Amino acid sequence: MMNIPVYSIVAFSGTGKTTLLEKLIPELKSRGLRVAVIKHDAHEFQIDREGKDTWRMTNAGADITAVTNASHAAVLVNRPVSFDVLLSMITDVDIILTEGYKHGSWPKIALFRKASGNPLPISENGYFAIMSDTDTDVNAPCLPLDDIAGLTEMILADIK
């Protein structure tokens, strides 16, 4: 098993998980960390474009299609892949952040907005931190939604 720490950003749809990640990633990078992100998507998604070579190879039946150039690479696994298998594929980073995966065993950073009308995404008191615009009655550190530096400090203290 790998030793890269994993933290999940959890909340109901539309609460701001992606926005939080957009702010947290550069903050972690500014502290010298190499960051990976895994996004859970509950819907069918398409990252390849119809008619392109990789699409054609996948449609021809390739189980895995990879594409690379001088600046990035992508591996398309054309079958279901478990979260544990995805984790095992990630190397050479200091931290893995997920968007979603609220039922995993790793620390959860929840987003809670009072105006959303939604409760916290899981009922257990196993949160690493809660980012919120209001106080919560959960036994976890609660930070303002915009306190990205504070959240970063908590993460850095936890992984050291």
Side-chain angles (χ1 to χ4, degrees):
M1 185 72 183
M2 57 107 195
N3 291 320
I4 303 170
V6 177
Y7 295 84
S8 289
I9 309 300
V10 297
F12 285 94
S13 180
T15 306
K17 296 181 300 288
T18 300
T19 301
L20 175 64
L21 282 164
E22 286 177 313
K23 295 174 181 175
L24 182 58
I25 293 166
E27 188 71 25
L28 291 166
K29 301 271 304 161
S30 76
R31 311 289 182 96
L33 274 68
R34 297 163 299 166
V35 180
V37 177
I38 300 174
K39 176 176 175 28
H40 179 263
D41 190 338
H43 309 285
E44 185 67 26
F45 67 91
Q46 182 69 36
I47 64 167
D48 211 356
R49 291 191 315 229
E50 185 174 343
K52 300 307 281 178
D53 293 349
T54 51
W55 179 89
R56 292 171 59 193
M57 292 171 208
T58 296
N59 278 341
D63 295 302
I64 297 175
T65 306
V67 60
T68 184
N69 66 21
S71 60
H72 27 300
V75 177
L76 305 170
V77 181
N78 303 308
R79 59 181 179 258
V81 177
S82 73
F83 186 80
D84 289 335
V85 169
L86 284 175
L87 283 178
S88 72
M89 295 173 154
I90 297 174
T91 61
D92 202 30
V93 297
D94 301 304
I95 188 171
I96 299 171
L97 302 172
T98 77
E99 182 178 325
Y101 295 102
K102 64 184 172 194
H103 297 295
S105 61
W106 41 88
K108 315 285 182 306
I109 300 164
L111 279 98
F112 178 72
R113 292 180 189 273
K114 186 175 182 176
S116 75
N118 291 319
L120 283 163
I122 55 178
S123 59
E124 65 192 53
N125 286 334
Y127 292 107
F128 175 75
I130 298 174
M131 306 292 289
S132 181
D133 58 0
T134 187
D135 290 330
T136 67
D137 60 356
V138 176
N139 186 21
C142 188
L143 302 170
L145 288 169
D146 62 351
D147 191 1
I148 303 304
L151 178 59
T152 301
E153 290 300 324
M154 285 181 61
I155 292 170
L156 291 173
D158 192 53
I159 64 176
K160 299 252 182 217

